[in-house]
Amino acid sequence: MASVPSLASTVQQRLAEGLSAALPEAGSADPLLRRSDRADFQANGILALAKQLKGNPRELATKVVESIPANDVLKEIEVSGPGFLNITVSDAAIVETLAARAADARLGVPLNEAAGTTVIDYAQPNVAKEMHVGHLRSAVIGAAMVEILEFTGETVVRRHHIGDWGTQFGMLIQYLIEHPHELDHKDEGAEVSGEEAMSNLNRLYKASRALFDADEEFKTRARARVVDLQAGDEETLALWQRFVDESKIYFYSVFEKLDMDVRDPDIVGESGYNDMLQETCRILEESGVAVRSEGALCVFFDDIKGPDGNPVPLIVQKSDGGFGYAATDLSAIRDRVRNLKATSLLYVVDARQSLHFKMVFETARRAGWLNDEVKAVQLAFGTVLGKDGKPFKTREGETVRLVDLLDEAIDRASAVVREKAQDLTEEEIAERGAQVGIGAVKYADLSTSAARDYKFDLDQMVSLNGDTSVYLQYAYARIQSILRKAGDAEPAAHPKLELAPSERALGLHLDGFGETIAETAAEYAPHKLAAYLYQLASLYTTFYSECPVLKADTPEQVENRLFLCDLTARTLHQGMALLGIRTPERL
């Protein structure tokens, strides 16, 4: 089915036609339409137009209103103040537009079949290291943007750029060669849990680090092992692969707990670009984008200087021949543009790395890998803070393990579900507890603008009141309960019925879903979708308290209100799914 034009776009079109008819000299002027608390919509474009045409804005506004023919969409247009237009649409137009949305599986949201390909770089844990609270935002924001962009028609390629290369692997591999049973599992052949895999890696990392710091001879052997790794020595690579595989068992267990879909082909770590590094450096140097400075291959920028006033370069290759993150990131851009045919590159990365990515993107532009057809954007995110407003740490001052955080959220949510549960079994309480707890963590993150820091407050996150996912999930579950109790009454749209004020407010907001999705996708701003859904649940709560549904005055009114309930539930379900949050049928 084709996308359904929103009431706002229909009203905009009628006004634009009125403007052209009344003021042909105005050309295709924009009426500047927006939602208003004085009417359904307000248009204030005539003020700027009057200035341009040197006319009286109220007189021009009146002329425009008179040139709009009577129609079934616009119920009333009032000239207000110095020349604003206050516009009220008809109840029938609201219900008919919503009925068209309800008839479409996509709720009338357009699918852009000419969209491009976006590579999203997100959820970037490190091999042989535990995931901590700092890994949360990249995973949650990135996964939401994958769903949102795919829903609009974009081809999305997921990339998990894991830290799986570098000097620490020489230390780990050499230790494993000298202590060959350190990665063995207690029960050979048994399935290994994420916790067991991480516990093995943790133990091995600590033991190898202690030996590396205490034993000079081991340190020398470990450094030689890095050279073997980079040279592709078979035994070394086989042991390195064991670390990667063991870490993946652990990563997958955490991502599964986060209710995230991470697939093997999507994991292309730093090692995946190893074979491209030399060529990347050669291209940059031969094209003059990078120059040798004190033996290192550097890219300089006029506007980036250190505290001493000297230029701060992007170092692509160190003076000892080693490669830093810049060489890997630039090689990844080449791969994503050339081989994956990306038209957009989206990096969901901590704001503290903004300068690095600014330099990398500018270097890629100078090299011609990024241009008017291919853009790169960093979706930079702020820090997760504790209740005290400081970076989130344990009481001992250590970084909080991500898995501990998620387990606590699930425990808190399970307690809330148990308290409210009327006819749920223990198994159902556990399942809902996980859906509510993980949803609470994701929503707290996604309802905050990514660029801002936010406080991790579980008491607030699992609250039934306020801007929380639990509030939205309960609104959805309440609607499902009403629909189950409706008996033979079916949701059906009745455009001829008069709508109560809270029905109109809910209907107009429901009609804005497609525009919200488009704005969220264009701006990479999942918090805009979260804000829309919270307002939807709030408007539904007001409607529910003011308008009896099953005890409405007439059978038609019952059906029409069930129709509003059903469309609200479908919109909540679809919107929450795009944020990666489950909507249980019963709570």
Side-chain angles (χ1 to χ4, degrees):
M1 180 174 169
S3 63
V4 178
S6 67
L7 274 170
S9 63
T10 305
V11 171
Q12 172 100 357
Q13 191 181 345
R14 299 286 162 92
L15 286 180
E17 288 164 1
L19 267 170
S20 317
L23 308 164
E25 66 273 32
S28 55
D30 186 347
L32 297 180
L33 190 74
R34 60 184 178 80
R35 288 295 307 277
S36 168
D37 52 5
R38 296 176 180 275
D40 294 335
F41 299 97
Q42 187 177 77
N44 53 17
I46 291 171
L47 296 176
L49 198 57
K51 204 173 182 182
Q52 185 189 322
L53 300 175
K54 298 186 169 54
N56 179 307
R58 268 192 80 89
E59 285 174 16
L60 290 180
T62 306
K63 202 173 170 185
V64 169
V65 171
E66 286 168 354
S67 69
I68 297 173
N71 60 77
D72 54 353
V73 176
L74 305 177
K75 181 182 175 186
E76 184 186 354
I77 309 180
E78 174 203 17
V79 178
S80 164
F84 298 120
L85 297 182
N86 286 338
I87 300 142
T88 303
V89 295
S90 70
D91 289 353
I94 294 175
V95 177
E96 281 166 5
T97 303
L98 293 184
R101 287 196 178 282
D104 178 25
R106 293 176 53 80
L107 302 173
V109 178
L111 182 71
N112 181 4
E113 288 171 5
T117 296
T118 297
V119 175
I120 302 190
D121 189 324
Y122 69 109
Q124 309 106 347
N126 293 308
V127 164
K129 289 187 182 171
E130 268 194 297
M131 290 176 72
H132 54 75
V133 66
H135 290 112
L136 179 65
R137 299 206 74 185
S138 177
V140 169
I141 296 168
M145 284 315 309
V146 166
E147 297 299 328
I148 291 162
L149 290 176
E150 281 188 336
F151 189 64
T152 62
E154 192 79 3
T155 299
V156 176
V157 180
R158 302 158 166 85
R159 276 294 173 265
H160 304 295
H161 188 88
I162 64 172
D164 65 351
W165 206 245
T167 50
Q168 82 269 25
F169 287 99
M171 176 183 85
L172 286 163
I173 293 164
Q174 189 60 35
Y175 188 85
L176 193 57
I177 284 171
E178 296 174 17
H179 303 80
H181 301 298
E182 282 290 325
L183 267 188
D184 291 348
H185 294 286
K186 289 171 206 141
D187 301 313
E188 281 306 316
E191 195 168 308
V192 182
S193 72
E195 278 292 308
E196 189 186 348
M198 195 64 240
S199 138
N200 271 339
L201 289 166
N202 256 344
R203 190 180 66 247
L204 197 136
Y205 188 86
K206 284 175 182 168
S208 62
R209 168 55 70 183
L211 191 58
F212 186 86
D213 292 341
D215 184 333
E216 281 300 321
E217 288 182 4
F218 175 74
K219 189 180 282 189
T220 304
R221 293 195 298 276
R223 284 180 173 153
R225 188 59 59 182
V226 178
V227 178
D228 293 340
L229 177 64
Q230 290 172 339
D233 173 68
E234 269 187 47
E235 182 195 18
T236 306
L237 276 177
L239 290 169
W240 168 81
Q241 190 65 52
R242 278 193 72 187
F243 283 108
V244 173
D245 293 344
E246 196 85 2
S247 296
K248 280 183 181 177
I249 295 169
Y250 164 70
F251 295 158
Y252 289 153
S253 72
V254 179
F255 289 133
E256 194 177 338
K257 191 163 284 201
L258 259 175
D259 198 11
M260 262 177 62
D261 179 25
V262 174
R263 306 166 199 154
D264 237 32
D266 306 333
I267 297 181
V268 183
E270 293 167 2
S271 63
Y273 307 101
N274 202 43
D275 294 345
M276 298 175 67
L277 303 182
Q278 290 284 7
E279 191 186 7
T280 297
C281 291
R282 181 184 60 74
I283 294 169
L284 292 173
E285 190 168 9
E286 286 178 2
S287 62
V289 172
V291 295
R292 291 282 165 189
S293 174
E294 296 176 27
L297 186 63
C298 303
V299 183
F300 288 92
F301 309 87
D302 293 339
D303 59 339
I304 301 173
K305 293 184 168 63
D308 55 3
N310 291 326
V312 174
L314 180 71
I315 299 173
V316 184
Q317 188 176 24
K318 302 171 196 168
S319 54
D320 65 2
F323 301 99
Y325 291 126
T328 306
D329 287 334
L330 287 162
S331 298
I333 289 176
R334 283 178 58 217
D335 174 63
R336 292 165 184 184
V337 173
R338 187 179 61 189
N339 298 326
L340 301 178
K341 310 298 182 203
T343 48
S344 301
L345 305 175
L346 183 61
Y347 290 78
V348 188
V349 183
D350 191 314
R352 287 169 292 193
Q353 294 188 45
S354 294
L355 179 60
H356 169 78
F357 279 100
K358 179 184 175 187
M359 294 161 90
V360 165
F361 295 163
E362 176 56 28
T363 300
R365 266 189 288 275
R366 291 181 189 178
W369 305 326
L370 297 177
N371 48 45
D372 292 344
E373 279 75 48
V374 187
K375 65 173 181 175
V377 177
Q378 183 194 358
L379 204 177
F381 56 82
T383 307
V384 181
L385 306 173
K387 280 190 194 180
D388 57 3
K390 294 176 182 169
F392 205 2
K393 303 275 185 190
T394 63
R395 285 190 186 138
E396 295 72 39
E398 291 176 8
T399 307
V400 179
R401 294 169 69 215
L402 182 52
V403 75
D404 291 343
L405 211 63
L406 300 179
D407 284 340
E408 191 180 347
I410 291 168
D411 288 346
R412 297 278 190 96
S414 299
V416 171
V417 172
R418 178 172 279 106
E419 195 180 311
K420 289 278 176 184
Q422 291 165 344
D423 54 354
L424 298 180
T425 64
E426 275 302 309
E427 194 179 335
E428 288 171 325
I429 289 171
E431 184 192 6
R432 305 295 193 281
Q435 291 174 344
V436 171
I438 296 302
V441 170
K442 287 183 176 180
Y443 186 83
D445 192 318
L446 295 168
S447 58
T448 306
S449 166
R452 289 175 51 203
D453 299 342
Y454 81 97
K455 287 183 185 174
F456 196 94
D457 181 350
L458 274 176
D459 293 330
Q460 172 57 31
M461 287 179 189
V462 299
S463 168
L464 290 167
N465 304 310
D467 189 3
T468 67
S469 69
V470 193
Y471 176 68
L472 273 63
Q473 286 168 322
Y474 266 97
Y476 178 81
R478 173 187 281 164
I479 297 171
Q480 294 308 319
S481 172
I482 292 169
L483 294 172
R484 282 194 297 271
K485 290 173 185 168
D488 294 337
E490 292 280 335
H494 289 279
K496 291 184 178 163
L497 286 178
E498 190 177 324
L499 297 177
S502 59
E503 288 178 292
R504 287 180 58 83
L506 178 61
L508 284 165
H509 191 69
L510 279 166
D511 187 49
F513 184 56
E515 285 165 352
T516 301
I517 295 290
E519 192 179 333
T520 299
E523 297 177 21
Y524 304 133
H527 69 281
K528 295 202 166 182
L529 176 55
Y532 170 88
L533 295 172
Y534 172 60
Q535 196 180 349
L536 177 60
S538 302
L539 288 167
Y540 179 79
T541 302
T542 306
F543 155 78
Y544 178 75
S545 63
E546 292 179 3
C547 299
V549 177
L550 301 179
K551 294 183 178 174
D553 295 339
T554 66
E556 290 79 17
Q557 201 172 43
V558 170
E559 288 177 350
N560 202 58
R561 286 180 179 172
L562 281 172
F563 163 73
L564 283 173
C565 288
D566 186 51
L567 187 56
T568 300
R570 286 175 61 196
T571 306
L572 277 172
H573 174 75
Q574 179 63 75
M576 295 282 269
L578 294 178
L579 296 178
I581 299 171
R582 303 272 177 180
T583 40
E585 302 283 310
R586 297 171 192 262
L587 275 175

